[in-house]
Amino acid sequence: MLLIDCPWCGPRDEVEFSCGGEAHIVRPPEPANLSDAEWGDYVFMRQNRKGVHYERWCHGHGCGRWFNVARDTVSHQVLAVYAMGEAPPEV
Amino acid sequence: MAERRIRHSPLAHLHLAARVVVDPGDAGARMSERPPRAQLAVRGDSGDKAFVAAFKAGLGFSPPLAANTVVTHDGLAVFWLGPSEWLLVGEVPGEQLAAALADRHHALVDVSDSRIAIGLSGPRARDVLAKLCPLDLAAPALAPGRCAGTILARGHMLLHVLAEDSYDIHVHRSFADYAWRMLEDAALEYGVAVIDGGG
């Protein structure tokens, strides 16, 4: 069970949130020029890190806002919470 | 033939009126169905000073801008739901608000029938709620006058802390039966009294 520090509502239980998967995946500017392999990489391929993982979360049962979380996939500790659009912090 | 509309409570089938007692005795939990109130959803950017000023002018008082707070004024409760989202419950100044916000980027939607409120109070009210809700109900974040969008059992609720051990639980009407039954089941061991929900 994670305790996630919502930037608006403060620390709340994981069940109030939904996870939106890995953060900082940028849509290619010209998808038409990509090969199938490159497009497949963008759509499907995700990191599966052991350690610090950057991911998107939505506080759906609370304020309804999206934000980014840096989480350690080994300890499940939430290391940092930061706004959408911000660069990932060093943790 | 003119269409006839009847307001139908989503808890009508529980026949709560027949169970209302005047004296709750030593029941640890008192439950009530709150009367239906007008509700208005307001959207707009709380970072936009002109929007906030227009919102304030439409209400006649300052809307809550701090997270999870409620401002109550003359029979109207304004709930902070998010940094760009509020819920007005009670004596809603709909037309006044629409006029004040006309020149600003905003949304006003009548959601009067979307939610109902269940009153829960009594010496064991917090214990009842603690069984169904992941929040720390004793935390300062849930002092009287605060609200929280959170979870009730497997559903969503908007929790309004009226006083220590007195709560209004706003749930979507399709969850009303579920919410009432879950609360009553949780309260059973402390004793439940159904009381009048007020006018």
Side-chain angles (χ1 to χ4, degrees):
Chain A
M1 190 65 83
L2 301 176
L3 190 64
I4 301 172
D5 198 7
C6 169
W8 296 98
C9 304
R12 294 286 187 96
D13 192 291
E14 178 187 349
V15 294
E16 293 187 7
F17 299 83
S18 51
C19 185
E22 189 181 333
H24 307 297
I25 291 171
V26 180
R27 184 184 169 87
E30 293 182 45
N33 297 337
L34 297 184
S35 68
D36 286 353
E38 287 169 324
W39 183 248
D41 185 57
Y42 160 67
V43 174
F44 298 113
M45 302 308 284
R46 297 292 180 263
Q47 299 189 27
N48 188 20
R49 274 195 195 146
K50 183 179 181 183
V52 180
H53 189 245
Y54 299 96
E55 52 200 11
R56 301 173 299 173
W57 285 82
C58 177
H59 192 195
H61 280 286
C63 57
R65 289 321 106 165
W66 283 93
F67 55 93
N68 290 316
V69 167
R71 179 175 65 93
D72 190 314
T73 58
V74 180
S75 66
H76 287 304
Q77 193 184 353
V78 174
L79 302 166
V81 173
Y82 56 105
M84 294 308 259
E86 269 182 28
E90 288 291 325
V91 288
Chain B
M1 200 176 102
E3 188 185 4
R4 195 165 163 232
R5 293 188 169 200
I6 300 170
R7 189 185 286 278
H8 184 80
S9 161
L11 295 176
H13 61 290
L14 297 177
H15 304 291
L16 298 173
R19 295 177 54 196
V20 167
V21 295
V22 177
D23 174 18
D26 57 1
R30 296 158 197 179
M31 294 176 64
S32 62
E33 180 189 1
R34 297 287 190 202
R37 316 297 302 273
Q39 297 176 53
L40 194 64
V42 181
R43 298 295 307 260
D45 181 5
S46 61
D48 174 1
K49 283 181 182 162
F51 167 79
V52 174
F55 191 8
K56 183 180 175 181
L59 286 174
F61 55 91
S62 292
L65 298 176
N68 296 309
T69 55
V70 187
V71 175
T72 310
H73 198 271
D74 272 350
L76 172 65
V78 183
F79 293 84
W80 182 99
L81 298 187
S84 64
E85 193 170 2
W86 295 265
L87 179 69
L88 276 53
V89 179
E91 305 294 327
V92 170
E95 286 174 16
Q96 195 184 316
L97 207 50
L101 291 172
D103 297 332
R104 315 279 6 143
H105 183 63
H106 75 282
L108 286 179
V109 182
D110 183 347
V111 291
S112 295
D113 291 318
S114 71
R115 300 176 198 243
I116 66 138
I118 296 170
L120 174 68
S121 60
R124 307 306 295 270
R126 185 183 288 177
D127 298 317
V128 173
L129 210 49
K131 290 189 190 182
L132 303 171
C133 167
L135 293 181
D136 178 1
L137 298 163
L142 285 176
R146 311 271 302 194
C147 67
T150 183
I151 284 175
L152 181 77
R154 296 273 176 180
H156 174 80
M157 71 165 161
L158 173 63
L159 179 67
H160 183 191
V161 187
L162 300 170
E164 196 154 323
D165 293 332
S166 179
Y167 305 93
D168 266 1
I169 294 162
H170 297 253
V171 290
H172 291 116
R173 63 178 288 132
S174 55
F175 278 89
D177 172 75
Y178 172 75
W180 180 279
R181 288 174 193 269
M182 289 304 285
L183 285 164
E184 185 163 359
D185 180 66
L188 221 49
E189 64 170 303
Y190 309 121
V192 187
V194 178
I195 59 170
D196 185 54

